[in-house]
Amino acid sequence: MKVKIIIFIACWSLLSLLQGQMKKVAVFEEFGRPEGIILGNGYIYIQEKTTIFVYNLKDYKPAGKFGKEGEGPGELKINPFGGPMGVIPYNDKVYITSSAKVSIFSKTGEFIKEYKVNAFDSYYPYM
């Protein structure tokens, strides 16, 4: 019983100490229901449907957004039978796997190129 009381007091003291040091770092209000978040290339990438919101990792300020629904070059399409799109930041590029293609964008969202692929396969950049 004494051990439980000591542990409780220690945890309470630690939480009280940490509560005084916590602060709000960033508020992201541009989107409603994000489906994915990933860090890379010095940015935070937050995916909501076919839109990718880009935030600077140093100061959490918006750096832009890209992506729109469609089947043309630079457009993204959600696979109706699969999970969310894959957003993979790697080597100063962002690789996005959407229905039947892999699209490559610059780290801030400028379209570079795309490859047509099987809609039911998963693709990741060779690392």
Side-chain angles (χ1 to χ4, degrees), residues 7-95:
I7 291 174
F8 175 76
I9 292 171
C11 290
W12 184 263
S13 300
L14 181 62
L15 286 174
S16 298
L17 177 69
L18 290 176
Q19 191 174 26
Q21 295 180 358
M22 290 189 288
K23 63 179 180 177
K24 188 183 288 187
V25 177
V27 176
F28 302 117
E29 296 178 342
E30 293 183 283
F31 42 85
R33 301 183 88 179
E35 298 171 9
I37 181 169
I38 190 162
L39 308 174
N41 297 332
Y43 292 95
I44 301 170
Y45 298 94
I46 301 174
Q47 177 213 346
E48 181 180 42
K49 297 185 181 181
T50 57
T51 304
I52 312 299
F53 296 89
V54 185
Y55 293 89
N56 192 319
L57 193 55
K58 292 180 182 175
D59 58 8
Y60 306 107
K61 299 219 187 266
K65 68 180 180 177
F66 65 96
K68 65 179 183 175
E69 188 163 359
E71 296 182 15
E75 297 176 338
L76 306 169
K77 184 176 178 185
I78 296 174
N79 186 344
F81 305 109
M85 298 182 315
V87 179
I88 303 114
Y90 175 71
N91 206 19
D92 287 337
K93 293 183 178 75
V94 179
Y95 298 82

Side-chain angles (χ1 to χ4, degrees), residues 95-109:
Y95 298 82
I96 300 178
T97 60
S98 62
S99 183
K101 64 182 170 179
V102 175
S103 302
I104 303 171
F105 294 86
S106 72
K107 65 182 178 180
T108 55

